[in-house]
Amino acid sequence: WAGSEEPFSFYGDIIAFPLQDYGGIMAGLGSDPWWKKTLYLTGGALLAAAAYLLHELLVIRKQQEIDSKDAIILHQFARPNNGVPSLSPFCLKMETYLRMADLPYQNYFGGKLSAQGKMPWIEYNHEKVSGTEFIIDFLEEKLGVNLNKNLGPHERAISRAVTKMVEEHFYWTLAYCQWVDNLNETRKMLSLSGGGPFSNLLRWVVCHITKGIVKREMHGHGIGRFSEEEIYMLMEKDMRSLAGLLGDKKYIMGPKLSTLDATVFGHLAQAMWTLPGTRPERLIKGELINLAMYCERIRRKFWPEWHHDDDNTIYESEESSDGSKTHTPLLDFSFYSRTETFEDEGAENSFSRTPDTDFTGHSLFDSDVDMDDYTDHEQCK
């Protein structure tokens, strides 16, 4: 993967082909030699892939031309089926940034990559831009937005250094956990449409192709030349560095949002909600609880339609059973604006008290809650 951003279109569009189905197919081929069975399966997989690609080409040809005049069109991978907006840290980063900057945008899940082979990418007034860093620079220039206006030169330098650590180092450890070590769980979250009768076989094949690509690209990067334990050790160091930098602040660089928050959230959200039972999930929901609170703070503030089923649980993964977890599909809006779409009518005069709200009715994860006032109130009881 050039530049760490996902360039292949099946990253967010596939789900599992159970291994037991594979064994059933092999058994169903009778007593033929193993090499014949392998040949049959390979041929079937190729036919399935060809049929799927033909179907997608026909669908794309039928799609109407997108008009990006005075509108931001965000091209990204399809939503996964576990209620999380994206399994791609960069797609989640970009969409979160647009919400933080309060820029209306329209999602487009066509699966088409940019001219540079990147995802996500945008169209605005018929101009196409890919690479999240270049997209943000473009929007700042064209629309005058700037989430970093409160940062001084020293803080901007720190922000860029942390961004590179997250996107060029921490990202690869997440990719390893998602696509190599935790592949079976990742496959269950992915979605694929249009595969027809060969969809299960195609999903299984594509997932394993993805795994091979990730391992090869990690080897070229250099981080993939280490052992599994060493890769997780590097991941833990990055997560502890982020936790130390965040401390008890509302956002990474202080009391106000910056572009870095979209970057960090896009990556940490993968550990929070897409890697069940893994070391990064246990770490972020256990020892590094301030990172979990940080992720919840941003999710609740900028993703009001993303209702997670574990909203009111304590962040210790061993306290909740996997069998009891269900996922609510993410509601998607064809055209999104934070201020225009979600208005809290009558919120000034009424509130409901829940286990994760303070005495004013505000969420304890809300960035606007004054924790000192909350502590004083508790001491006065």
Side-chain angles (χ1 to χ4, degrees):
W1 295 331
S4 295
E5 300 205 26
E6 300 88 358
F8 48 94
S9 62
F10 47 80
Y11 186 96
D13 295 323
I14 45 182
I15 61 174
F17 175 70
L19 291 177
Q20 59 266 31
D21 291 353
Y22 176 82
I25 292 175
M26 292 293 285
L29 292 176
S31 58
D32 288 340
W34 68 268
W35 62 269
K36 281 190 176 181
K37 296 180 180 180
T38 303
L39 183 61
Y40 296 153
L41 288 177
T42 303
L46 291 175
L47 287 174
Y52 175 70
L53 291 175
L54 178 60
H55 176 274
E56 291 299 306
L57 287 174
L58 292 175
V59 170
I60 291 174
R61 286 189 176 185
K62 292 179 180 179
Q63 290 171 341
Q64 296 180 348
E65 187 72 20
I66 298 176
D67 184 8
S68 63
K69 180 174 175 55
D70 298 325
I72 300 172
I73 309 299
L74 176 61
H75 294 260
Q76 61 170 315
F77 298 119
R79 300 289 196 208
N81 56 22
N82 68 328
V84 176
S86 181
L87 295 180
S88 161
F90 291 97
C91 289
L92 184 53
K93 167 194 173 180
M94 194 65 249
E95 191 168 1
T96 301
Y97 170 85
L98 292 172
R99 294 178 176 222
M100 288 178 172
D102 201 16
L103 295 174
Y105 65 93
Q106 182 176 357
N107 273 317
Y108 190 73
F109 302 108
K112 181 181 178 182
L113 304 179
S114 70
Q116 295 81 15
K118 295 286 189 178
M119 192 74 91
W121 58 284
I122 69 163
E123 293 181 79
Y124 180 74
N125 280 340
H126 308 294
E127 292 187 66
K128 300 177 181 179
V129 187
S130 68
T132 55
E133 183 173 352
F134 292 115
I135 293 172
I136 291 172
D137 289 344
F138 173 83
L139 294 175
E140 288 181 352
E141 178 184 350
K142 295 292 184 181
L143 302 177
V145 296
N146 188 355
L147 294 183
N148 297 328
K149 61 184 178 182
N150 296 304
L151 302 182
H154 179 69
E155 293 171 314
R156 288 173 185 262
I158 293 175
S159 176
R160 179 162 180 81
V162 175
T163 296
K164 294 302 110 179
M165 179 194 76
V166 171
E167 295 187 346
E168 304 295 342
H169 192 267
F170 180 49
Y171 165 77
W172 290 106
T173 64
L174 286 173
Y176 177 84
C177 190
Q178 279 184 316
W179 290 101
V180 180
D181 192 32
N182 203 46
L183 180 63
N184 289 336
E185 289 298 322
T186 301
R187 292 187 308 186
K188 299 174 184 177
M189 303 178 191
L190 303 175
S191 60
L192 176 67
S193 61
F198 301 102
S199 59
N200 285 342
L201 180 60
L202 179 61
R203 290 163 184 163
W204 186 88
V205 171
V206 172
C207 280
H208 283 78
I209 292 176
T210 306
K211 176 181 178 180
I213 292 175
V214 170
K215 294 180 71 173
R216 184 176 69 246
E217 295 297 331
M218 288 185 66
H219 187 81
H221 175 279
I223 197 171
R225 299 168 189 255
F226 299 112
S227 68
E228 177 179 305
E229 184 60 32
E230 289 170 326
I231 291 174
Y232 278 116
M233 185 183 302
L234 294 174
M235 172 188 280
E236 182 172 338
K237 286 183 177 181
D238 287 345
M239 294 179 69
R240 290 187 181 279
S241 295
L242 291 172
L245 181 61
L246 175 64
D248 59 358
K249 300 192 299 293
K250 292 179 181 179
Y251 300 110
I252 297 294
M253 298 305 298
K256 295 190 178 295
L257 280 166
S258 68
T259 301
L260 178 59
D261 291 298
T263 302
V264 173
F265 175 75
H267 289 72
L268 286 180
Q270 308 303 319
M272 273 286 290
W273 294 294
T274 75
L275 297 171
T278 62
R279 291 169 65 171
E281 187 202 49
R282 292 194 296 270
L283 189 61
I284 195 173
K285 294 182 179 180
E287 188 175 348
L288 306 182
I289 191 67
N290 66 328
L291 293 182
M293 300 283 283
Y294 168 79
C295 287
E296 283 287 3
R297 184 177 306 132
I298 293 179
R299 177 179 73 87
R300 297 186 183 207
K301 189 175 184 67
F302 297 103
W303 290 91
E305 78 277 29
W306 177 3
H307 301 289
H308 197 265
D309 297 288
D310 292 337
D311 278 353
N312 294 325
T313 60
I314 298 175
Y315 291 117
E316 292 291 344
S317 58
E318 54 268 16
E319 300 212 3
S320 59
S321 63
D322 293 337
S324 64
K325 295 182 180 179
T326 59
H327 300 290
T328 304
L330 182 72
L331 298 176
D332 191 42
F333 298 90
S334 60
F335 202 86
Y336 178 87
S337 172
R338 183 165 62 88
T339 55
E340 295 177 2
T341 306
F342 300 100
E343 297 181 353
D344 297 327
E345 298 180 0
E348 300 83 4
N349 300 321
S350 63
F351 65 85
S352 59
R353 183 76 181 267
T354 64
D356 59 355
T357 57
D358 69 356
F359 67 96
T360 68
H362 289 101
S363 169
L364 295 181
F365 300 106
D366 193 338
S367 61
D368 297 327
V369 171
D370 190 330
M371 295 307 293
D372 293 334
D373 290 346
Y374 178 75
T375 302
D376 294 340
H377 174 79
E378 290 298 310
Q379 291 174 348
C380 291
K381 285 185 176 180

